[in-house]
Amino acid sequence: MSTLPDTETPPRLALARAGVDRAAQHRLDEPWLAAAWSHPSTKVLPISGGEAFVVDTDHGSELVLLPSFEASQTGDRYFLGTDDDGVSYFALAGETLPGRLDGDARPAGLREVGGSLSDRDAGLLVHAVALEHWHRLHSFCSRCGHPTEKAGAGHLRRCTSCAAEHYPRTDPAVIMMITDEQDRCLLGRQALWPEGRWSTLAGFVEPGESIEQAVAREVFEEAGVRVGEVGYVASQPWPFPASLMLGFVGRAEPGGTEITVDGEELAEARWFSREDLRAGIESGEILPPSGISIARHLIERWYGGPVPSTARW
Ligand SMILES: [Zn+2]
């Protein structure tokens, strides 16, 4: 039960979508990049502080993408890729978003609109947000302390002194739906979360550790539950600021299901039957995690479909 059936279709996770080829072969080709930037079909995504302009439509949200001649000629350009029609896409990171835009454009971030964007736009925004944050925090060389400068069309920083190359960092994190012999699921509540928020357990993979080991260690540390067999489900980037969420299912070992919360990360943890969860959500006592999260997918995969909706979300 804890491993995946062969027939399971990979899930469509909100932030794991894309419609653009990253075309990494162009990242070090300055003449190609300059020609692509100035091409009239090129589309530019201004971004600042994790936000971009969107417009709301009848079927969701759309990113506002500018032709490069309308975009600022200053700011950091990140090449995001090309689409099937040969259109090139760049993000343009600045201190602020451009001041004037026509129509109903408004600034928004991934948490708000990540689930309502098209595949192409979701992929562009996740890529741009992750790069922007990495650049902001890596101005200095971790080897010698001197300033670094952007290279590789935004996918590399190079030290101005020792020439060390630094690549964007992604931190692997495991997130897991643990079940017991009665197929109840283990959910926890972090002390810092809003009242009523419950979710699957999660944690960062440590150096020198496999992801399967990380699943078992995190569940034991946070909730005192012993996990046996685990199976991989799916992943999605979670650039808040730099995680890659690796989703697992796992089965608690018989005799190892007694819960002891660590009191640091988790304030509470409980085993939930499907009926417990349904009743809790319907009464408003339990707020499930955001619809764009892999936690929500893991919960609904176990639940057998969408959990009930309530007015509180
Ligand atoms: Zn250096």
Side-chain angles (χ1 to χ4, degrees):
M1 178 60 204
S2 64
T3 49
L4 286 175
D6 293 339
T7 53
E8 183 163 343
T9 314
R12 279 175 53 79
L13 298 168
L15 304 189
R17 297 177 293 147
V20 163
D21 176 353
R22 292 183 175 221
Q25 71 274 19
H26 299 307
R27 288 178 188 164
L28 295 173
D29 188 342
E30 292 297 339
W32 189 94
L33 292 165
W37 173 265
S38 56
H39 195 278
S41 70
T42 288
K43 292 182 160 64
V44 177
L45 172 64
I47 181 165
S48 181
E51 292 197 324
F53 280 116
V54 300
V55 289
D56 299 312
T57 70
D58 291 343
H59 41 268
S61 306
E62 286 177 12
L63 290 179
V64 176
L65 300 166
L66 305 176
S68 56
F69 62 84
E70 278 185 28
S72 168
Q73 302 305 302
T74 61
D76 273 350
R77 295 176 197 170
Y78 315 144
F79 174 58
L80 300 179
T82 57
D83 68 16
D84 289 345
D85 297 324
V87 173
S88 296
Y89 294 84
F90 289 83
L92 184 66
E95 288 301 308
T96 58
L97 286 170
R100 267 186 58 235
L101 275 187
D102 295 335
D104 300 321
R106 63 184 180 88
L110 267 182
R111 284 185 192 272
E112 182 192 351
V113 297
S116 58
L117 295 170
S118 68
D119 288 3
R120 183 201 69 175
D121 285 3
L124 291 172
L125 189 56
V126 175
H127 191 174
V129 164
L131 283 176
E132 186 206 18
H133 191 271
W134 175 71
H135 282 287
R136 184 172 298 174
L137 295 187
H138 292 79
S139 308
F140 296 93
C141 180
S142 56
R143 186 186 287 177
C144 76
H146 284 86
T148 58
E149 59 187 10
K150 183 176 71 72
H155 294 77
L156 169 65
R157 292 191 75 85
R158 194 174 281 122
C159 179
T160 54
S161 177
C162 76
E165 293 186 339
H166 303 281
Y167 289 88
R169 171 175 166 166
T170 297
D171 300 327
V174 289
I175 182 160
M176 42 275 176
M177 166 56 73
I178 304 302
T179 51
D180 70 1
E181 284 184 302
Q182 289 98 56
D183 206 27
R184 295 179 303 174
C185 80
L186 178 63
L187 301 181
R189 197 176 68 71
Q190 291 187 14
L192 297 174
W193 285 351
E195 184 72 20
R197 169 78 69 214
W198 289 78
S199 189
T200 52
L201 306 194
F204 286 107
V205 180
E206 294 193 344
E209 184 177 54
S210 74
I211 48 179
E212 292 85 354
Q213 288 170 330
V215 169
R217 177 185 52 74
E218 283 288 344
V219 173
F220 185 70
E221 282 178 5
E222 293 187 3
V225 170
R226 295 278 183 193
V227 173
E229 186 188 8
V230 299
Y232 172 74
V233 177
S235 71
Q236 79 168 351
W238 195 247
F240 310 111
S243 298
L244 173 65
M245 303 302 290
L246 303 154
F248 284 84
V249 288
R251 177 55 66 89
E253 288 183 345
T257 59
E258 190 172 332
I259 291 172
T260 315
V261 292
D262 63 4
E264 292 179 18
E265 287 198 54
L266 286 191
E268 271 183 277
R270 270 167 52 190
W271 292 105
F272 287 85
S273 67
R274 289 174 181 78
E275 176 56 25
D276 294 337
L277 189 67
R278 185 191 62 73
I281 291 173
E282 285 182 349
S283 71
E285 272 173 60
I286 293 175
L287 290 171
S290 153
I292 67 167
S293 67
I294 194 166
R296 178 69 165 267
H297 170 75
L298 292 172
I299 289 171
E300 296 194 331
R301 180 180 176 276
W302 163 82
Y303 188 76
V307 292
S309 61
T310 74
R312 287 184 66 186
W313 7 306

